[in-house]
Amino acid sequence: MRSLALEFAKLRRKHVLLIVLALVAAVLAWLFADAHGEGRGGATGWHSLFFAAPIMNSVFLSLLSTVVASRVADVDHEANAWKQLLCLQGTGSLLGAKLVCAMLVVALAVALELVGIIVIGRMWEFVDLPTVGSWASLALSQLVASLCAVSIIGAIALLWENQFVAVASGLTLSLAGLFSSFLPTALQRLVPSGYYTLLTTMQVVWGNGSSAPVFHEIALPLLDYALVAAFSAAACAYAYKKFSRREA
């Protein structure tokens, strides 16, 4: 807990909260426009919000994950504090605290987004409020996808002092996440930021001679959860290995 508290203390002047609020506001503005398109009292309004949110998050939450992971690493690059830190605490404790710190910030963003979705849905008087399970599935999918982004970008940010490398990598992932939705599933699984949409249980079907979408929920995509866990574990293991050498 002390290591985690220290990580948050380092971010005190990094304006992370403002960045969270700005990016969540951007997502909610887009979702509000989507709700406007559904119309007041729309029968598929909630489904549409649940489907659109992961698409927007593949851009904005992956971007937030990039910024947070970079800030968490850069604060010690700026102070040239790695040698001192690694003398005072183990590699696992240090990297674990940074990972948890970044994920708690992202979790705050996800929580604010869910609250915003509820407000938007209520404002437009959408019917058939989703079940607790649906809300939990949406939150879990976005957090797990963000864990993958934080792990990958965090490893890059920790290993390269120049944060341009990490930010450029994150921007690339952010754009790739958006366009990955148009790729076949097998190819989308190769894009870490594509898991924002791959993990969601809300699906849509177009066709049947109508322009109206048909929404339906599927079971948790356990294979995709396993794959995103593998991506995250590989990134964390790589960062740990490199830092273990630095510590020695």
Side-chain angles (χ1 to χ4, degrees):
M1 291 300 294
R2 180 180 295 179
S3 297
L4 181 59
L6 287 173
E7 293 303 325
F8 277 109
K10 294 174 189 176
L11 295 179
R12 189 174 301 164
R13 299 180 183 277
K14 295 297 182 179
H15 310 295
V16 172
L17 181 59
L18 290 177
I19 297 171
V20 169
L21 294 176
L23 291 178
V24 170
V27 173
L28 294 178
W30 190 281
L31 294 179
F32 186 86
D34 182 82
H36 183 272
E38 288 289 323
R40 189 168 300 277
T44 60
W46 287 111
H47 297 87
S48 180
L49 290 176
F50 271 49
F51 181 76
I55 297 175
M56 291 299 97
N57 286 339
S58 66
V59 178
F60 291 103
L61 267 191
S62 61
L63 185 59
L64 175 62
S65 299
T66 295
V67 173
V68 174
S70 176
R71 289 294 177 93
V72 168
D74 191 46
V75 68
D76 289 318
H77 283 306
E78 290 177 350
N80 195 24
W82 293 115
K83 290 183 179 180
Q84 295 92 325
L85 285 172
L86 292 173
C87 288
L88 296 172
Q89 62 186 120
T91 303
S93 173
L94 175 60
L95 298 188
K98 289 185 176 296
L99 179 62
V100 173
C101 175
M103 283 308 302
L104 286 176
V105 173
V106 175
L108 172 63
V110 172
L112 292 175
E113 182 180 305
L114 293 180
V115 171
I117 291 174
I118 293 174
V119 172
I120 292 172
R122 291 298 192 185
M123 285 179 61
W124 288 95
E125 300 175 358
F126 293 151
V127 297
D128 297 329
L129 182 69
T131 64
V132 173
S134 296
W135 289 101
S137 174
L138 177 62
L140 178 64
S141 64
Q142 304 311 287
L143 284 173
V144 171
S146 296
L147 172 62
C148 183
V150 167
S151 300
I152 293 173
I153 301 302
I156 297 173
L158 287 167
L159 298 175
W160 273 272
E161 183 174 353
N162 186 347
Q163 291 303 293
F164 174 80
V165 178
V167 173
S169 300
L171 288 175
T172 302
L173 279 182
S174 179
L175 292 175
L178 176 62
F179 292 109
S180 69
S181 301
F182 302 101
L183 296 174
T185 302
L187 293 178
Q188 189 178 5
R189 285 176 173 145
L190 300 177
V191 182
S193 52
Y195 285 89
Y196 285 98
T197 54
L198 281 171
L199 297 180
T200 183
T201 57
M202 184 62 66
Q203 302 292 316
V204 63
V205 177
W206 298 87
N208 298 323
S210 171
S211 60
V214 178
F215 294 97
H216 66 282
E217 286 198 69
I218 62 172
L220 286 177
L222 297 181
L223 172 61
D224 293 320
Y225 271 96
L227 289 173
V228 78
F231 273 119
S232 303
C236 291
Y238 179 76
Y240 179 84
K241 181 178 179 181
K242 289 293 185 181
F243 265 76
S244 294
R245 292 177 179 176
R246 181 180 296 189
E247 184 180 26

